[in-house]
Amino acid sequence: MSLLSPLTQPLAAWALATAAADRTWFSNPVIQNKLGPATLETLAMTLVSGVLVIILGLLLGISLVTTGVRGRHPHPLLHQVLSQLVNIGRSLPFIILLVVMLPLTRMLVGTSLGWQAASVPLTVGAIPFYARMVETALNNVEQGKVEAALMMGASASQITWGVLVREALPVLIQSATVTLITLLGYSAMAGAVGGGGLGDLAIQYGHQRSQPDVIWCTVILILLIVAVIQVVGDLLSRAVDHR
């Protein structure tokens, strides 16, 4: 028995390694059963929070412009308050925001777990980010076009939406593309606190249970989603660019 043990140990190790290899990649039950739902959760939290961020961030960015010195309704105090709120929101690390907003998240969606819960801090954290890009894009519109609209008797709302937003639309779409990609990265980070999605899958199975094939699959999927978002954003930006 003692003579056979040194010979059987390498064979047993080889058998275990072969069995483990057979369970990797697409034969891995985790990848077969959980990768699809996790991908849908990531897409859901990115799209839901992305739509809310684009709408609310656009309105906040317009408010920053209209209440500024060059705006149609200058209001220095309100502008400073909004600007400081945006600065605070942009400087707060997302992982801290996730923890700080747990009580609000539970109040709004009834739980602190899952992609629905993760959508709340994702939205709150990205609104200031997009609002500042909206402000920059609108302020870069040529003042000559605004003055021409004023000479033609355009109202404040017509100038805001018909001149500023319309002229800055290609840049706004590019900024929205960057924001969606950022949200996708944040959604993976949300997996650290049970936010679901690909990040949660990579942490629970890829890292904690030492399944590198799960990590590689999640990374590849995230890269593919980023590529699709970027291509669609570039196409839309070029389609509305009338320069």
Side-chain angles (χ1 to χ4, degrees), residues 18 23 38 44 68 74 137 142 153 161 177 185 194 201 210 216:
T18 303
R23 291 195 300 270
E142 295 180 11
W161 296 99
T177 302
L201 187 71
S210 300
W216 280 110

Side-chain angles (χ1 to χ4, degrees), residues 7-195:
L7 297 176
T8 57
Q9 286 177 356
L11 292 175
W14 176 82
L16 289 173
T18 303
D22 290 340
R23 291 195 300 270
T24 58
W25 293 95
F26 297 109
S27 62
N28 189 329
V30 174
I31 295 176
Q32 292 177 344
N33 301 324
K34 296 182 179 294
L35 188 62
T39 303
L40 293 178
E41 289 178 354
T42 293
L43 292 175
M45 73 175 83
T46 301
L47 293 177
V48 169
S49 58
V51 169
L52 293 175
V53 166
I54 291 171
I55 294 173
L56 299 177
L58 178 63
L59 295 177
L60 180 56
I62 290 174
S63 299
L64 287 169
V65 173
T66 56
T67 58
V69 177
R70 297 166 56 188
R72 296 300 96 196
H73 303 286
H75 197 301
L77 179 59
L78 179 58
H79 179 78
Q80 282 299 319
V81 171
L82 293 176
S83 183
Q84 290 305 315
L85 288 175
V86 168
N87 290 337
I88 293 172
R90 292 178 62 199
S91 62
L92 189 63
F94 180 68
I95 193 67
I96 296 178
L97 183 66
L98 277 171
V99 177
V100 169
M101 291 196 62
L102 285 177
L104 178 61
T105 300
R106 291 193 192 98
M107 184 179 67
L108 291 177
V109 299
T111 180
S112 60
L113 301 176
W115 72 265
Q116 297 92 338
S119 298
V120 177
L122 281 173
T123 302
V124 173
I127 286 175
F129 179 77
Y130 186 62
R132 189 63 81 189
M133 290 194 291
V134 170
E135 180 190 20
T136 302
L138 298 184
N139 281 331
N140 286 336
V141 174
E142 295 180 11
Q143 284 300 305
K145 296 181 179 180
V146 176
E147 293 172 359
L150 285 172
M151 293 177 61
M152 296 175 63
S155 63
S157 61
Q158 289 174 331
I159 290 174
T160 299
W161 296 99
V163 179
L164 293 178
V165 174
R166 183 173 180 272
E167 292 296 323
L169 192 55
V171 180
L172 292 177
I173 292 176
Q174 292 173 358
S175 300
T177 302
V178 174
T179 302
L180 286 174
I181 293 173
T182 302
L183 284 171
L184 183 64
Y186 283 173
S187 71
M189 195 185 303
V193 292

